[in-house]
C-alpha cells in the first residue's frame, strides 16, 4: 500500500520538479563551499605568500586571517540560506504533493 | 530504584579511594571537586535516562525525541572534543596560522553534510548509517564493511582519547595515568550501558554548555587584556613568539602541496563519515529537525573555533613569556596542548583553572561515550541483528548484545589506553579521519547519489579504501620512520586521504560498472524507489 504511494509520488510531475529544484540548490551551495575551501587549500599549498601579506601598511594582520574568517562565515551563511529555503519553499510544496497524492489514492 | 542505588554505590566505591589518595599527594582540589560535581550530575542524568530507555529505538536513538536545538548542541559537543579544545588551541599557540587551517577544515565539512547527506540519511535510516547504505544494497556485505569501518574509526579515536585523557588528567588532577584511564573507562561504560543514547546525548549537551561558557570567558579575558583590539592581540602575539611575523602566515606544519590537499580532503570528508556524528541524525524526529540540528551545530562550532583563535593567540603572549608555565629548558610545562589550561590559570586563577580542568575531563568522558555507543551499535545492530539474525533478532536480545559490546569496547579501550601510554598517538585521529573519508563517506555518498552503485562495487571498493588508508599510514613517515625507526618512509606523505579516497572511488566505480550479476540489476532498479523515499521520508500512514 505504502510502496504504492511512493510509486505515485515518483510519477507525479510536480514532485519531479521539486526534487530537481532542491537537488540543484543543494549542489549550488555545495559547489560554493567546495570551490571556496579548495581555493583556500590550493593557495596554502602553492602560493602561501599571498596569505602572508599584511592587509595594509599599518597592520600586522595578514590576508590569511580574513580568508579563514570568510570561510567560517560562509559556512554559517550557506547553512542558514539552505534551511530557510527548505522551510519557506520546499517543505510546503512537498507537503502539498503528499496530501494530494494520498487523497487521490483514497479516492481510487 | 535498584539501579540508582547501584550507581551511587559504584560512585562511592570509585570516589573514596580517589579522595583518600588525593589527600596524600598534591592534587588540584578545585578541579577534583568540580569534576565530582560533574560526575554526580551525569550519573543522575544516567539514572533518569535509564528509566526512559525501554525500546531498541530509545537505546540507539533516544527514541527520536531529541529536538534540533538539543541535537545541534550535542553534535557541537562531539566536535568540541579535548582534541579540538586543547589540541587546536595548542596548535595555534605553537604554529599560529597553521592551526587555523585545521579548524577551518573541520568546520567546512558541515554545510556539505547538510546539503547532501543529513536529510536523506534521516529519511532512509533508523539507527546507523549502514541502514541507509543497505536500503537497496545487500545487507550482509554492506553492513559487515560498514561495521569494520565504524569499529576501526571508533577504536583509533578511543585509544587517542584514552591516552590523551590519561596524560591530561595526570598533569591536571595529579592522578596516576592508570587510574585516570580506569575512571574514564568505567564511567563511560556506566553512561552507555544504563542510559544509552539518551544519557550520552544529555551528558554531551551539559558538557557543551560548560565548555562553551568556559571558552567564552577565556576569550573574553584575553580580549580584555588587549582592550578588545585584534590588531593589538596579533601584535602582542608576534612580539612574544619565536617565529615572529611568520605565525600569521601558512608555513611549516603543512609543507608540500600534496599534503595540504590530502589533509583538506580528510578534514572535510572525514567529518562526513564519522559514525558517532552520523548516528546523531537518528535521534531527532524527522528530516526537518535533522536540518535544524546542523544549523545549530555549525553555529556553535563556528563560534567555538573563533574563540579558539583568540585563546590560542592570547596564550602566545599571556602564557608563552610567563616563567611559571615553563620548565627549565624554556618549553611549556605539559606540552603545547596545555596552552589553554595554563591560560585559564593566568587569567582566572586557581578556581578557573579547576573549572577548565574539570571541563576538559568532562569533554573526554562525553566524547568517548558517544564513540562507544556508535561502536556498540555497529556490533549489535549491523553485525548481530542484520548479519547473524538476518534482520530478525529475538526481541530484547539486540539491546543486550549492544550492552555487552559496550562493556567489551570499554575494556578494550582501557587495555589499549594502558598499552599505548608512552606511544605517539597523534596519528590515530588523522588515520580515523582518513578511514572515515575513504570507507564510510564514499559508500554512503554513492549509495544516495549514483544509481549505478552495486553491492559488490561498494564492498570491494570500500575495502580497498580501508586497506589503502591503513597501508599508507603504516608505511608513511609517522609510523614507518618515527615509530618503527626506519630511515625512509615507503609512502612519502603524512596524510593519505587524497590517495585512499581516489582508490576507493575509482575501484567502487570500476567494480560496479563491470558487475553484471542479477543482484546488481536489482540494486540499480531499486534506486528510483530509494530516491523518492530519501526525499519524501517515512509517511504518516507508515509511522
Amino acid at each position: 500500500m505504502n510502496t504504492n504511494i511512493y510509486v505515485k509520488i515518483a510519477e507525479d510531475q510536480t514532485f519531479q520538479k521539486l526534487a530537481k529544484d532542491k537537488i540543484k540548490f543543494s549542489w549550488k551551495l555545495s559547489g560554493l563551499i567546495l570551490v571556496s575551501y579548495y581555493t583556500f587549500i590550493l593557495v596554502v599549498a602553492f602560493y602561501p605568500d599571498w596569505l602572508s601579506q599584511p592587509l595594509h601598511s599599518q597592520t600586522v594582520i595578514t590576508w590569511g586571517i580574513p580568508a579563514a574568517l570568510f570561510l567560517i562565515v560562509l559556512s554559517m551563511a550557506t547553512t542558514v540560506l539552505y534551511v530557510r529555503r527548505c522551510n519557506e519553499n520546499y517543505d510546503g510544496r512537498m507537503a502539498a504533493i503528499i496530501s494530494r497524492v494520498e487523497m487521490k489514492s483514497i479516492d481510487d | 530504584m535498584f539501579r540508582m542505588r547501584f550507581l551511587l554505590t559504584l560512585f562511592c566505591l570509585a570516589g573514596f579511594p580517589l579522595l583518600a589518595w588525593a589527600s596524600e599527594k598534591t592534587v588540584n582540589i578545585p578541579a577534583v571537586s568540580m569534576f565530582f560535581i560533574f560526575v554526580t550530575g551525569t550519573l543522575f542524568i544516567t539514572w533518569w535516562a535509564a528509566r526512559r530507555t525501554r525500546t531498541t529505538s530509545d537505546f540507539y536513538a533516544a527514541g527520536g525525541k531529541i529536538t534540533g536545538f538539543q541535537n545541534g548542541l550535542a553534535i557541537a559537543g562531539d566536535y568540541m572534543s579535548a582534541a579540538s579544545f586543547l589540541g587546536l588551541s595548542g596548535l595555534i599557540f605553537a604554529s599560529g596560522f597553521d592551526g587555523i587551517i585545521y579548524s577551518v577544515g573541520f568546520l567546512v565539512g558541515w554545510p556539505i553534510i547538510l546539503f547532501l547527506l543529513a536529510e536523506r540519511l534521516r529519511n532512509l535510516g533508523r539507527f546507523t548509517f549502514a541502514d541507509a547504505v543497505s536500503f537497496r544494497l545487500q545487507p550482509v556485505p554492506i553492513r559487515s564493511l560498514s561495521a569494520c569501518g565504524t569499529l576501526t574509526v571508533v577504536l583509533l579515536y578511543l585509544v587517542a582519547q584514552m591516552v590523551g585523557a590519561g596524560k591530561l588528567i595526570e598533569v591536571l588532577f595529579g592522578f596516576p595515568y592508570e587510574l585516570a584511564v580506569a575512571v574514564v573507562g568505567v564511567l563511560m561504560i556506566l553512561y552507555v550501558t544504563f542510559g544509552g543514547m539518551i544519557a550520552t546525548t544529555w551528558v554531551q549537551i551539559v558538557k557543551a554548555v560548560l565548555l562553551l561558557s568556559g571558552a567564552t570567558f577565556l576569550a573574553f579575558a584575553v580580549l580584555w587584556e588587549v582592550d578588545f583590539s585584534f590588531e593589538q592581540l596579533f601584535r602582542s602575539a608576534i612580539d612574544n613568539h619565536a617565529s615572529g611575523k611568520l605565525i600569521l602566515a601558512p608555513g611549516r606544519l603543512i609543507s608540500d602541496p600534496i599534503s595540504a590537499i590530502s589533509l583538506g580532503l580528510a578534514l572535510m570528508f572525514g567529518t562526513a563519515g564519522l559514525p558517532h556524528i552520523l548516528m546523531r541524525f537518528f535521534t531527532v524526529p524527522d528530516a526537518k529537525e535533522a536540518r535544524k540540528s546542523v544549523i545549530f551545530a555549525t553555529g556553535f562550532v563556528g563560534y567555538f573555533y573563533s574563540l579558539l583563535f583568540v585563546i590560542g593567540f592570547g596564550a602566545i603572549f599571556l602564557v608563552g613569556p610567563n616563567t611559571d608555565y615553563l620548565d627549565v629548558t624554556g618549553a611549556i610545562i605539559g606540552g603545547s596542548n596545555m596552552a589553554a589550561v595554563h591560560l585559564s590559570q593566568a587569567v582566572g586563577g586557581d578556581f578557573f583553572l579547576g573549572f577548565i580542568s574539570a571541563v576538559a575531563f568532562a569533554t573526554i568522558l562525553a566524547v568517548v561515550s558517544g564513540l562507544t555507543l556508535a561502536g556498540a551499535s555497529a556490533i549489535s545492530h549491523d553485525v548481530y541483528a542484520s548479519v547473524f539474525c538476518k534482520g530478525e533478532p529475538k526481541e530484547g536480545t539486540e539491546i543486550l548484545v549492544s550492552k555487552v559490546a559496550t562493556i567489551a569496547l570499554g575494556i578494550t579501550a582501557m587495555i589499549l589506553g594502558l598499552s599505548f601510554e608512552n606511544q605517539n598517538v597523534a596519528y590515530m585521529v588523522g588515520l580515523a579521519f582518513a578511514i572515515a573519508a575513504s570507507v564510510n563517506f564514499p559508500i554512503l555518498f554513492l549509495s544516495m547519489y549514483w544509481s549505478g552503485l552495486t553491492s559488490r562495487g561498494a564492498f570491494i571498493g570500500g575495502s580497498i579504501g580501508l586497506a589503502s588508508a591503513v597501508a599508507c599510514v603504516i608505511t608513511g613517515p609517522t609510523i614507518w620512520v618515527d615509530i618503527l625507526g626506519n630511515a625512509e618512509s615507503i609512502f612519502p606523505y603524512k596524510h593519505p586521504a587524497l590517495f585512499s579516497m581516489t582508490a576507493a572511488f575509482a575501484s567502487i566505480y570500476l567494480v560496479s560498472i563491470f558487475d553484471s550479476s542479477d543482484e546488481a540489476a536489482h540494486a540499480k532498479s531499486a534506486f528510483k524507489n530509494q530516491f523518492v523515499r530519501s526525499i519524501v521520508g517515512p509517511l504518516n500512514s507508515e509511522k
Side-chain angles (χ1 to χ4, degrees):
Chain A
M1 222 250 346
N2 278 310
T3 45
N4 215 353
I5 288 189
Y6 284 113
V7 172
K8 279 181 184 149
I9 292 178
E11 286 161 357
D12 189 290
Q13 285 199 346
T14 44
F15 169 75
Q16 290 165 2
K17 172 87 173 67
L18 168 67
K20 216 171 141 191
D21 287 355
K22 194 173 176 180
I23 291 168
K24 225 168 146 187
F25 186 59
S26 299
W27 277 111
K28 260 189 213 163
L29 291 179
S30 307
L32 185 65
I33 294 281
L34 289 169
V35 168
S36 316
Y37 176 59
Y38 284 102
T39 310
F40 176 73
I41 289 292
L42 290 175
V43 172
V44 167
F46 292 103
Y47 306 101
D49 294 346
W50 290 5
L51 295 173
S52 322
Q53 297 302 318
L55 291 176
H56 53 82
S57 56
Q58 269 91 55
T59 183
V60 292
I61 300 177
T62 56
W63 278 102
I65 305 288
L69 287 179
F70 169 76
L71 284 171
I72 293 183
V73 173
L74 184 74
S75 300
M76 294 197 204
T78 47
T79 310
V80 172
L81 209 65
Y82 177 80
V83 172
R84 268 184 52 184
R85 173 76 73 94
C86 287
N87 288 343
E88 288 168 6
N89 182 333
Y90 302 140
D91 281 3
R93 284 162 68 186
M94 192 67 241
I97 294 168
I98 293 173
S99 64
R100 188 158 42 80
V101 173
E102 274 179 337
M103 287 299 268
K104 228 163 115 194
S105 63
I106 291 170
D107 290 347
D108 292 349
Chain B
M1 201 54 217
F2 163 75
R3 273 186 171 159
M4 185 183 168
R5 218 177 283 155
F6 175 69
L7 284 177
L8 281 176
T9 319
L10 259 173
F11 176 53
C12 296
L13 283 177
F16 285 128
L18 278 185
L19 285 178
W21 186 83
S23 57
E24 289 164 18
K25 265 197 171 172
T26 46
V27 289
N28 182 338
I29 299 296
V32 175
S33 21
M34 271 181 270
F35 178 67
F36 267 93
I37 296 172
F38 176 82
V39 170
T40 316
T42 51
L43 285 176
F44 180 76
I45 290 175
T46 308
W47 165 75
W48 169 84
R51 297 199 319 173
R52 275 158 188 76
T53 304
R54 295 200 185 86
T55 65
T56 330
S57 159
D58 293 335
F59 185 79
Y60 289 130
K65 290 189 191 104
I66 303 291
T67 68
F69 176 75
Q70 293 162 350
N71 194 40
L73 259 179
I75 292 176
D78 275 325
Y79 243 60
M80 300 183 290
S81 59
S84 50
F85 175 49
L86 302 176
L88 285 177
S89 57
L91 205 54
I92 296 174
F93 171 78
S95 13
F97 191 77
D98 285 344
I100 295 186
I101 298 176
Y102 273 84
S103 337
V104 168
F106 282 127
L107 188 70
V108 289
W110 272 107
I112 301 292
I113 295 180
L114 171 65
F115 307 148
L116 301 178
L117 301 178
E119 292 170 62
R120 292 185 181 210
L121 185 68
R122 181 68 193 85
N123 283 338
L124 293 174
R126 287 178 66 211
F127 304 137
T128 63
F129 82 92
D131 288 345
V133 185
S134 56
F135 192 89
R136 71 184 163 102
L137 301 182
Q138 282 182 320
V140 173
I142 293 304
R143 287 194 189 263
S144 318
L145 174 70
S146 309
C148 281
T150 300
L151 285 172
T152 340
V153 171
V154 164
L155 276 176
L156 285 166
Y157 227 122
L158 269 179
V159 173
Q161 295 279 343
M162 279 290 184
V163 175
K167 299 267 175 211
L168 182 74
I169 290 159
E170 214 174 7
V171 180
L172 293 182
F173 291 75
F175 293 167
Y177 181 86
E178 294 77 12
L179 182 65
V181 168
V183 170
V184 172
V186 168
L187 283 172
M188 136 191 134
I189 290 175
L190 286 179
Y191 295 155
V192 178
T193 44
F194 288 102
M197 186 51 115
I198 304 180
T200 308
T201 302
W202 281 100
V203 168
Q204 195 59 272
I205 292 176
V206 169
K207 164 241 138 169
V209 172
L210 289 175
L211 182 53
L212 280 169
S213 329
T216 304
F217 179 81
L218 265 182
F220 188 80
V222 168
L223 289 175
W224 183 274
E225 293 281 333
V226 294
D227 295 325
F228 292 89
S229 150
F230 283 93
E231 183 67 35
Q232 192 52 47
L233 170 73
F234 291 122
R235 269 185 206 278
S236 315
I238 287 174
D239 292 344
N240 286 287
H241 197 286
S243 311
K245 282 194 166 170
L246 289 178
I247 56 168
L248 288 181
R252 297 143 294 165
L253 204 63
I254 300 150
S255 45
D256 63 295
I258 302 282
S259 293
I261 298 166
S262 203
L263 174 71
L265 283 172
L267 293 179
M268 181 179 236
F269 295 109
T271 307
L274 290 178
H276 63 298
I277 305 257
L278 292 175
M279 203 178 171
R280 293 227 173 268
F281 289 111
F282 302 116
T283 64
V284 289
D286 52 33
K288 196 179 167 126
E289 291 294 315
R291 217 154 57 201
K292 232 194 249 171
S293 3
V294 180
I295 217 172
F296 287 113
T298 315
F300 286 125
V301 175
Y303 170 69
F304 179 70
Y305 283 169
S306 313
L307 296 178
L308 284 188
F309 296 173
V310 177
I311 294 172
F313 282 108
I316 294 180
F317 65 91
L318 290 169
V319 174
N322 189 333
T323 45
D324 290 352
Y325 306 122
L326 306 178
D327 60 21
V328 280
T329 63
I332 180 169
I333 296 170
S336 61
N337 277 352
M338 296 298 289
V341 175
H342 291 315
L343 180 68
S344 69
Q345 213 235 354
V347 299
D350 281 339
F351 183 79
F352 191 60
L353 170 72
F355 178 76
I356 287 292
S357 309
V359 169
F361 200 162
T363 296
I364 294 170
L365 266 180
V367 172
V368 293
S369 306
L371 282 166
T372 308
L373 182 57
S377 336
I379 296 175
S380 58
H381 185 63
D382 294 332
V383 176
Y384 171 76
S386 306
V387 175
F388 284 126
C389 302
K390 306 286 175 223
E392 281 158 8
K394 248 190 242 152
E395 185 60 33
T397 53
E398 195 178 332
I399 290 196
L400 187 70
V401 172
S402 202
K403 289 183 175 180
V404 174
T406 303
I407 297 171
L409 273 173
I411 294 172
T412 315
M414 287 192 268
I415 294 172
L416 289 175
L418 293 178
S419 44
F420 277 87
E421 179 180 352
N422 294 314
Q423 304 274 330
N424 170 9
V425 292
Y427 68 91
M428 286 188 177
V429 172
L431 179 57
F433 264 79
I435 291 175
S438 321
V439 186
N440 304 358
F441 174 73
I443 61 173
L444 182 60
F445 176 77
L446 291 175
S447 75
M448 290 173 178
Y449 284 89
W450 185 40
S451 59
L453 176 73
T454 71
S455 306
R456 198 182 291 167
F459 183 76
I460 296 179
S463 312
I464 289 177
L466 177 63
S468 56
V470 173
C472 288
V473 170
I474 291 179
T475 59
T478 328
I479 297 191
W480 201 255
V481 179
D482 297 352
I483 294 177
L484 297 177
N486 293 297
E488 226 171 296
S489 62
I490 302 171
F491 178 77
Y493 304 105
K494 264 189 179 172
H495 307 289
L498 178 60
F499 302 92
S500 55
M501 277 182 80
T502 312
F505 274 101
S507 50
I508 292 175
Y509 176 74
L510 287 176
V511 175
S512 293
I513 57 167
F514 288 114
D515 184 356
S516 55
S517 61
D518 291 347
E519 194 284 319
H522 169 259
K524 286 173 189 169
S525 68
F527 182 78
K528 198 174 156 194
N529 178 29
Q530 177 200 292
F531 173 76
V532 180
R533 173 68 187 246
S534 74
I535 295 193
V536 179
L539 292 170
N540 282 334
S541 44
E542 207 179 12
K543 273 176 190 167

